[in-house]
Structures are given as structure tokens and as C-alpha cells.
Amino acid sequence: MNERMSRREALRRAGLWAGAAGVWAGLPKRTWAALPAPEGWSPEEERLLTIIGDTLLPATAGSPGAGAVEIGRFIAMMASTCSPPETVSLIQSGLREIEALSRAEFARGFIDLAAAQRETLLITYEKKGASLAPAKGRHPLRPIKQWAVLGYFTSEPGATQALRYDPIPGGYRGAIPLAPGDRTWAT
Amino acid sequence: MANYPTTSGSRENTFDAIVIGSGISGGWAAKELCEHGLKTLVLERGRDVQHLKDYPTALKNPWDLPHRGKLPHTIARENPIVKRCYAFDETTAHFFVKDGEHPYVQEKPFDWIRGYQVGGKSLIWARQTQRWSRFDFEGPARDGFGEWPISYEDLAPWYTHVERFVGISGNRDGVETLPDGEFLPAWEMNDVEKHLSGKIRGAYADRFVVQGRCAHLTAPQAIHLEQGRGKCQARNLCYRGCPFGGYFSSNSGTLPWAARTGNLTMRPHAVVAAILHDPGSGRASGVRVIDAQTQETKEFFARVIFVNAACLNTNLILLNSQSARFPTGLGNDHDLLGRHVAFHNYRGSLAGQMEGFADSYYSGRRPTQAMMPNFRNVRKQEMDFQRGYMVFFGASRASWTQGNYLPGAGAAFKERLTRPGPWGVTMMMQGETVPRRENHVRLAADRRDAWGIPQLVTSIGYHENDEKMIQDFLEQGEAMLSAAGVKKITKTDDRRAPGLDIHEMGGVRMGADPKKSLLNRWNQLHTCPNVFVTDGACMASTGTQNPSLTFMALAARAANYAVAAMKKGTL
């Protein structure tokens, strides 16, 4: 029994590491590499944001996850450049809360969790956010989700693989049947 | 500074005609004057923008944009005014004046949105092009707040003239409040819009939901191909400049057309400080220009001058054109110059959700919306407010941006965002405001711009009439959407400042009576007839329609009048 448990645990751990490592190995150099790393963010925070983004929008059949477009750098960059100034500290406090919640619930850091656990934890965090978030203002997960969703669905793989992107439609058709499985337009 | 010709070598600086401003109305004046053989100088205060060549973002994919189209916070913070404009973003900011570049004084809040470049705001306009109806021209006299010296019949042939060249898509709807024009095929409505249209028409005999008419080539004709323009590709990225020439702008249409006559001289970076008045002849002799880059002052001379600097800057130039004969501004014998400025009331909007239609979708990005011409006070005064409003509305399915507010994480969350969401319906008003004497612009006594020209003071506000109209629109909008089965309706008064509509009009209004107006029926200053004003400044009222088509028709009509009068020797 014990042996089986530890084997299962070992397999699970190997799997999750393979998963997290896979996210990192799969990062294309082109997506955000052109952008300087935003000031005020540690590599660990950026990495945590990428894993969170990839948990929100994981790889599914036919399209990669948000981790594949280095979403952490985009979230950090957009928080630093295109958001009200308090957004950076809001997100960073959120990262600390997510990390603390992970240790409380699963006795490990967020990055070390299995994909399913990460997903469960973010859903839990989103729901109980009111008690964790700063007394007033936004839930820290809101700007994280906002920029993750924007960054992913406007990325080339997000727009062209997860969605349908037609840069030059040529015309407008006002009524076309929507078949099950048809995806939404990227723009 | 003496206000008469001082430049040596004036012969080289002399033209048949000068057009101040290269936007949508100035482009039309230039085209008509050049086509009739007049050597025409177009003065543009901003930089040159060449069609196709100077549209740096036109072909960018979303992922090519560093901030994915969003404005960096530093730009937003430095531009509290222009950032409120719906079209100002990472892909279009280069076509908008930044707040710090050209300051003005807001005695009352006024969001002045400007485009200083060759082509002006014709690059970044919303391209909605409805004719005025007779009810609009007759309204001011009927309601006792002014008069139009022309009728719909006077302008109708010029609407036709302009529409053929510009290319307007639309249906011939046969609605008296919205005259039909020369149309290319209309854009389609989607299934929910058709549903709304049918339900509203069924519930209200006098409310017509029609497809918006817009300056897009749905089926280019020979005249458009000759301009080098092609079919609109339904990208709806128009504010970046169109690489297909699918929508009309000065840059893609009138200016190159004028240039190929050989009669056009285009001078960018030319800030017009004043129009020069010659006391001997009683006419304007030319204009004084400050080079925006070198600060050098130059004067240019012509037999006729068209002022098309865009509404408020046209007012500013005339106010600053002071002389012994006109100490308070050219043509201003009665303290009317700069007064009766009006705009469009955009404050009210509604949104709601339409259940069903789950298996219907659309393709392409349509550059227009459905609309409903005004149905209030049309034939007689009926309401407790004056005039009326046009309604725009549209329906679309929620997209991946639902992720901004939907809860969840993981594959199911992602999957949900990749499928078209529920149908949303939106509605907004475009209300006529009544020109009022107290709504005015004037020169600041103590503040000047970077070229030493007095800054403009804006003193333009809402009136109780506007508040009542907003309430009526919100009530009627809710009733119409409810009748069509729309649920979860929300009503909004965004309390925006005037100006954000970018439909400011008046200040140099037309009228038959020189005591009550500045311009006659041909857009000439009553007291200085070789000066024509054919942009928004000339408007005696605002109507409920998007105004650019009317500006273009007035400019073409006045330019042809000027040419004919010059040939006859009467001008």
C-alpha cells in the first residue's frame, strides 16, 4: 500500500514536473523576447505569472496554452505600462496570496502543483478572493486574468489556433450558420 | 501687426484660390477649384500624410502590436482629453493631436478632438453619411431659434455629386426623414438586427430601422477605381488608414484628384494665423501663415479664400483676423462670430441581451451599424423638449473578451471563450442640440500657443433641453428593446463633456439676414464676399445626422458657385 502510494506520488510528481518543464521548454523566443523585461518584477514572479496564465488557459486539442506565449512577461509588462499604477502591487500581493494558499492547501508552492491542483486552487482563490484581496478595490486575479486573456487571444497561436483569425474578410455576411465546434472570431 | 500685404515677392505667393485646411471639406473645396482650373494653394497646419505610404499600422496583426492596441498609461496620463476618444489607441495615436501640443482654455469642459495632418480628421472619421432631410433644414425657423438660407432642394444635387465620387453604401429605404441618395450596395444586418428591426417596425409605425449609410466601397465604380481605390475588405481597422482605399478620405480621394490637375499646391506645416483684409477693396487679400517648423511668417494671396480649418479652428482664425474694418474678427459686425456653437448629444446609451439565435453567426467586420432616423418633433412640436435624436444600434455575439469578467480557469474556461457567447444589443443616441448664443468660443486674452496665436476659450455646455432629450431617449430605447424581446437592459447617461462627439458645429453660421448671421446662402461672409466658410463652422443647426456628408456637399456647392462667379466677373 505504502509502496503503491509512493509510486503513484512519484509518477504524479514526475508528470507535473514534465508539465511545468514542458511549458518552459516550449517558450518561443519571438513572442515577448523583443520586449525588455519590465522593471519591478522578479524572474520568479514572472515565471509564476506564466504558470498561472497557463493554468487559466491551458493547452487543449488544437492550440497551445498561454504558457507557450510567455504570458507572464506580457501580464507584467501590461500591468507596468497600461494599467493604473497600483496594479503592479495588487498583482504582486495576489501572487503572494496564491503561493500562501498553495502551501496551506497542498503543502507546496504553486509551481510544484499538478495542473488539476493549480486549476482548483485558482478557482478557490477567485471565489474566496473577497476575504483575501485588499479591503477595497479589485481582486488581484482580475487584472491577471484580463491581461492573460488579452495576451493569449491576441497572440498568433491564440488568435489563429484557439480562435479563427481572418485578417482580410473581403466582405460581411450577416447570417451564417454556427455549427457545433465553430470558434469565435479573433477580431 | 499691420493686416495688409507686406511680403516682398508676392507674385510667387499668389494663387487663384487658397483653401485653409485639408480635411474632409477642405479636400472637397480643393478638388472642385482645381478641376475648374484655379491655381489652388492648400494650407495644412500639420504634417504630410500620403495615402498608403503613411499608414504605418494598417497591416499589423494583433500580435505585432507591443501593447496589443492598448494605450500605455504614460500616454493616457499625458492626454486626459484625447484618450477619451473611442478611436484613440496604440494603432491610431499618430493621427490625433496630443493634449500638450495644442492647449486651449476650457471655461466649461469641452473635449476638443483634433487631427492635424494632411487629410485632417477624414482619416479618422466614423464614415457615417446620411443626408439631411427637409425637416432638418426647416427646423430652426419652425422652432424659432434661427434659419437656414437654403433648402433640401438646394443641396440635393450636391449630395448626389459628392456621393458619386465618395461612394456611399446604403439601401433606398424611402423614408421621408432620411432621403435616399446615390448608393452602392448596403451592408447586411445580422439575424438579431433583422429581428429587432422587424419587431420595432411592427410596434411603432413611425420608427424605421435601416442599415447605416457609410462611405465604404461595397462595389467600386469606375470613378472610384480611377481614384485608385478598391473594395472595402470588411477589416474595420479604418482609423489606421485603409491600404485598400475602401473608405473615403481626403488622402485617398479628393487631394490626389486635385493634384493630378496640376493646379494644386499643397503646403503642410503651414499654421494660418489670420486672413488679411484689404481696406481698399473691402475684400480679403490673402492669409498670414507661420511655418510650424521654422516659425517663419509668410503671406499668400488669392482672389478667393476657403476656410476649412475644422469648426473651432475656423472660428479661431476668423476671430484672430482683426483689422481696422473688423476689430473683433473678420465679418464680425455684431458679436455673432464664435457664438451659437452646437454639437451632438451622445450621452445616452443602452445595452441588453437577446436570448436565442444560438446557431446564427456572421463573418467579416462591418464598418457601420443599423440606425433609426429621428422620430421626435418631426412634423410639429410634440415633446417637452425641442428637436430630436437619431438612434444607432447593433447586435453582436460576445467574444473571448468575456474572459475579463467570467469566473473560472482551465480547459473549460478556455473552451468557453473560444465559442461565440450570447448576443448583446447596444443602442446609442445622436441628439440635436439647439445653437445658443451663450455657447461660444473666443480668443484668450492672456494665453498664446507655440506660434504666438491666442489660444481658444471654449464655453460650450448642455442645456435643460438636452437633459430632457436624454431621459426621453433612455425611456424610448428601453421600450423599443423590450418590445423586441431584449432582456437585462441597462441604461446609461455617461455625462460626457461636449466635444467628444466630434460633431461641433457653428460659430460662423449661415443665414439670409446679415444682421443675424455671418455667411450667406453661398457660404460667403456677408461683409467680405471672397471668403467662404464651408466646414462645420457654417452650420446654422446640427440636425441629427452625422454631418460630414453635408459639409462636403456645402463645400462642393460653394466652390462651384465661386468658380462661376469668378468667370462672370462678379467675384
Side-chain angles (χ1 to χ4, degrees), chain B residues 47 64 85 139 189 203 208 240 247 270 439 447 461 467 546:
Chain B
R47 67 189 172 96
D64 298 327
C85 176
M189 289 188 193
F208 304 97
R240 304 177 183 187
Y247 77 91
N439 276 344
R447 293 204 211 175
E467 307 291 341
N546 300 63

PDB file of all heavy atoms in Angstrom, chain B residues 47 64 85 139 189 203 208 240 247 270 439 447 461 467 546:
ATOM      1  N   ARG B  47       1.525  67.798 -40.539  1.00  0.00           N
ATOM      2  CA  ARG B  47       2.492  67.155 -41.427  1.00  0.00           C
ATOM      3  C   ARG B  47       1.777  66.554 -42.642  1.00  0.00           C
ATOM      4  O   ARG B  47       0.554  66.417 -42.656  1.00  0.00           O
ATOM      5  CB  ARG B  47       3.223  66.041 -40.668  1.00  0.00           C
ATOM      6  CG  ARG B  47       2.310  64.888 -40.298  1.00  0.00           C
ATOM      7  CD  ARG B  47       2.974  63.886 -39.360  1.00  0.00           C
ATOM      8  NE  ARG B  47       2.004  62.911 -38.879  1.00  0.00           N
ATOM      9  CZ  ARG B  47       1.823  61.708 -39.420  1.00  0.00           C
ATOM     10  NH1 ARG B  47       2.557  61.329 -40.450  1.00  0.00           N
ATOM     11  NH2 ARG B  47       0.927  60.879 -38.936  1.00  0.00           N
ATOM     12  N   ASP B  64       1.436  41.854 -33.596  1.00  0.00           N
ATOM     13  CA  ASP B  64       2.532  42.746 -33.994  1.00  0.00           C
ATOM     14  C   ASP B  64       2.584  44.002 -33.133  1.00  0.00           C
ATOM     15  O   ASP B  64       3.529  44.780 -33.236  1.00  0.00           O
ATOM     16  CB  ASP B  64       2.357  43.190 -35.452  1.00  0.00           C
ATOM     17  CG  ASP B  64       2.388  42.025 -36.428  1.00  0.00           C
ATOM     18  OD1 ASP B  64       3.119  41.048 -36.145  1.00  0.00           O
ATOM     19  OD2 ASP B  64       1.692  42.089 -37.453  1.00  0.00           O
ATOM     20  N   CYS B  85     -11.363  59.649 -26.486  1.00  0.00           N
ATOM     21  CA  CYS B  85     -11.912  59.362 -27.816  1.00  0.00           C
ATOM     22  C   CYS B  85     -11.828  57.866 -28.090  1.00  0.00           C
ATOM     23  O   CYS B  85     -10.766  57.256 -27.955  1.00  0.00           O
ATOM     24  CB  CYS B  85     -11.162  60.144 -28.891  1.00  0.00           C
ATOM     25  SG  CYS B  85     -11.720  59.732 -30.551  1.00  0.00           S
ATOM     26  N   GLY B 139     -36.204  73.116 -39.570  1.00  0.00           N
ATOM     27  CA  GLY B 139     -36.372  73.078 -38.118  1.00  0.00           C
ATOM     28  C   GLY B 139     -36.094  74.383 -37.393  1.00  0.00           C
ATOM     29  O   GLY B 139     -36.930  74.850 -36.602  1.00  0.00           O
ATOM     30  N   MET B 189     -27.682  43.367 -42.431  1.00  0.00           N
ATOM     31  CA  MET B 189     -27.911  43.236 -40.990  1.00  0.00           C
ATOM     32  C   MET B 189     -27.704  41.770 -40.623  1.00  0.00           C
ATOM     33  O   MET B 189     -27.886  40.873 -41.450  1.00  0.00           O
ATOM     34  CB  MET B 189     -29.348  43.625 -40.636  1.00  0.00           C
ATOM     35  CG  MET B 189     -29.640  45.106 -40.753  1.00  0.00           C
ATOM     36  SD  MET B 189     -31.291  45.445 -40.093  1.00  0.00           S
ATOM     37  CE  MET B 189     -31.539  47.118 -40.700  1.00  0.00           C
ATOM     38  N   ALA B 203     -44.063  47.496 -33.930  1.00  0.00           N
ATOM     39  CA  ALA B 203     -44.622  48.139 -32.740  1.00  0.00           C
ATOM     40  C   ALA B 203     -44.811  49.647 -32.913  1.00  0.00           C
ATOM     41  O   ALA B 203     -45.597  50.260 -32.197  1.00  0.00           O
ATOM     42  CB  ALA B 203     -43.726  47.854 -31.534  1.00  0.00           C
ATOM     43  N   PHE B 208     -38.323  53.810 -38.168  1.00  0.00           N
ATOM     44  CA  PHE B 208     -37.779  52.992 -39.245  1.00  0.00           C
ATOM     45  C   PHE B 208     -36.354  52.579 -38.916  1.00  0.00           C
ATOM     46  O   PHE B 208     -35.480  53.434 -38.765  1.00  0.00           O
ATOM     47  CB  PHE B 208     -37.802  53.772 -40.561  1.00  0.00           C
ATOM     48  CG  PHE B 208     -39.171  54.277 -40.914  1.00  0.00           C
ATOM     49  CD1 PHE B 208     -39.556  55.576 -40.614  1.00  0.00           C
ATOM     50  CD2 PHE B 208     -40.089  53.427 -41.531  1.00  0.00           C
ATOM     51  CE1 PHE B 208     -40.821  56.041 -40.931  1.00  0.00           C
ATOM     52  CE2 PHE B 208     -41.360  53.892 -41.855  1.00  0.00           C
ATOM     53  CZ  PHE B 208     -41.728  55.196 -41.547  1.00  0.00           C
ATOM     54  N   ARG B 240      -6.794  53.406 -38.851  1.00  0.00           N
ATOM     55  CA  ARG B 240      -5.355  53.326 -39.114  1.00  0.00           C
ATOM     56  C   ARG B 240      -5.005  53.868 -40.504  1.00  0.00           C
ATOM     57  O   ARG B 240      -3.836  53.955 -40.857  1.00  0.00           O
ATOM     58  CB  ARG B 240      -4.903  51.869 -39.045  1.00  0.00           C
ATOM     59  CG  ARG B 240      -5.219  51.169 -37.737  1.00  0.00           C
ATOM     60  CD  ARG B 240      -4.793  49.722 -37.835  1.00  0.00           C
ATOM     61  NE  ARG B 240      -5.127  48.956 -36.647  1.00  0.00           N
ATOM     62  CZ  ARG B 240      -4.738  47.697 -36.440  1.00  0.00           C
ATOM     63  NH1 ARG B 240      -4.009  47.089 -37.365  1.00  0.00           N
ATOM     64  NH2 ARG B 240      -5.073  47.063 -35.346  1.00  0.00           N
ATOM     65  N   TYR B 247     -12.464  53.065 -47.673  1.00  0.00           N
ATOM     66  CA  TYR B 247     -13.302  54.176 -47.217  1.00  0.00           C
ATOM     67  C   TYR B 247     -12.743  55.477 -47.771  1.00  0.00           C
ATOM     68  O   TYR B 247     -11.575  55.560 -48.143  1.00  0.00           O
ATOM     69  CB  TYR B 247     -13.408  54.219 -45.687  1.00  0.00           C
ATOM     70  CG  TYR B 247     -12.206  54.785 -44.943  1.00  0.00           C
ATOM     71  CD1 TYR B 247     -12.116  56.136 -44.638  1.00  0.00           C
ATOM     72  CD2 TYR B 247     -11.166  53.966 -44.510  1.00  0.00           C
ATOM     73  CE1 TYR B 247     -11.031  56.656 -43.943  1.00  0.00           C
ATOM     74  CE2 TYR B 247     -10.080  54.473 -43.815  1.00  0.00           C
ATOM     75  CZ  TYR B 247     -10.021  55.820 -43.538  1.00  0.00           C
ATOM     76  OH  TYR B 247      -8.942  56.328 -42.864  1.00  0.00           O
ATOM     77  N   ALA B 270       1.873  74.570 -42.297  1.00  0.00           N
ATOM     78  CA  ALA B 270       1.527  75.979 -42.504  1.00  0.00           C
ATOM     79  C   ALA B 270       0.369  76.351 -41.578  1.00  0.00           C
ATOM     80  O   ALA B 270      -0.791  76.024 -41.852  1.00  0.00           O
ATOM     81  CB  ALA B 270       1.149  76.212 -43.964  1.00  0.00           C
ATOM     82  N   ASN B 439     -23.409  79.624 -25.854  1.00  0.00           N
ATOM     83  CA  ASN B 439     -22.424  78.578 -26.162  1.00  0.00           C
ATOM     84  C   ASN B 439     -21.472  79.116 -27.231  1.00  0.00           C
ATOM     85  O   ASN B 439     -21.819  79.195 -28.403  1.00  0.00           O
ATOM     86  CB  ASN B 439     -23.124  77.303 -26.649  1.00  0.00           C
ATOM     87  CG  ASN B 439     -23.600  76.434 -25.488  1.00  0.00           C
ATOM     88  OD1 ASN B 439     -23.165  76.616 -24.348  1.00  0.00           O
ATOM     89  ND2 ASN B 439     -24.486  75.499 -25.768  1.00  0.00           N
ATOM     90  N   ARG B 447      -3.398  84.080 -23.118  1.00  0.00           N
ATOM     91  CA  ARG B 447      -2.657  82.841 -23.389  1.00  0.00           C
ATOM     92  C   ARG B 447      -2.491  82.656 -24.887  1.00  0.00           C
ATOM     93  O   ARG B 447      -3.441  82.778 -25.647  1.00  0.00           O
ATOM     94  CB  ARG B 447      -3.416  81.624 -22.835  1.00  0.00           C
ATOM     95  CG  ARG B 447      -3.465  81.639 -21.333  1.00  0.00           C
ATOM     96  CD  ARG B 447      -3.659  80.231 -20.832  1.00  0.00           C
ATOM     97  NE  ARG B 447      -4.418  80.258 -19.594  1.00  0.00           N
ATOM     98  CZ  ARG B 447      -4.825  79.183 -18.954  1.00  0.00           C
ATOM     99  NH1 ARG B 447      -4.585  77.993 -19.469  1.00  0.00           N
ATOM    100  NH2 ARG B 447      -5.485  79.296 -17.838  1.00  0.00           N
ATOM    101  N   GLY B 461     -21.794  74.314 -23.286  1.00  0.00           N
ATOM    102  CA  GLY B 461     -22.342  73.379 -22.306  1.00  0.00           C
ATOM    103  C   GLY B 461     -23.697  72.830 -22.710  1.00  0.00           C
ATOM    104  O   GLY B 461     -24.275  73.214 -23.730  1.00  0.00           O
ATOM    105  N   GLU B 467     -31.029  67.578 -21.362  1.00  0.00           N
ATOM    106  CA  GLU B 467     -31.302  66.619 -20.277  1.00  0.00           C
ATOM    107  C   GLU B 467     -32.646  65.924 -20.514  1.00  0.00           C
ATOM    108  O   GLU B 467     -32.772  64.708 -20.342  1.00  0.00           O
ATOM    109  CB  GLU B 467     -31.330  67.341 -18.921  1.00  0.00           C
ATOM    110  CG  GLU B 467     -30.096  68.191 -18.619  1.00  0.00           C
ATOM    111  CD  GLU B 467     -28.836  67.367 -18.378  1.00  0.00           C
ATOM    112  OE1 GLU B 467     -28.962  66.162 -18.098  1.00  0.00           O
ATOM    113  OE2 GLU B 467     -27.728  67.939 -18.499  1.00  0.00           O
ATOM    114  N   ASN B 546     -25.008  62.421 -38.887  1.00  0.00           N
ATOM    115  CA  ASN B 546     -23.568  62.657 -38.909  1.00  0.00           C
ATOM    116  C   ASN B 546     -23.311  63.711 -39.984  1.00  0.00           C
ATOM    117  O   ASN B 546     -23.836  63.606 -41.093  1.00  0.00           O
ATOM    118  CB  ASN B 546     -22.835  61.358 -39.246  1.00  0.00           C
ATOM    119  CG  ASN B 546     -23.120  60.287 -38.217  1.00  0.00           C
ATOM    120  OD1 ASN B 546     -24.271  59.878 -38.063  1.00  0.00           O
ATOM    121  ND2 ASN B 546     -22.112  59.858 -37.515  1.00  0.00           N
TER     122      ASN B 546
END
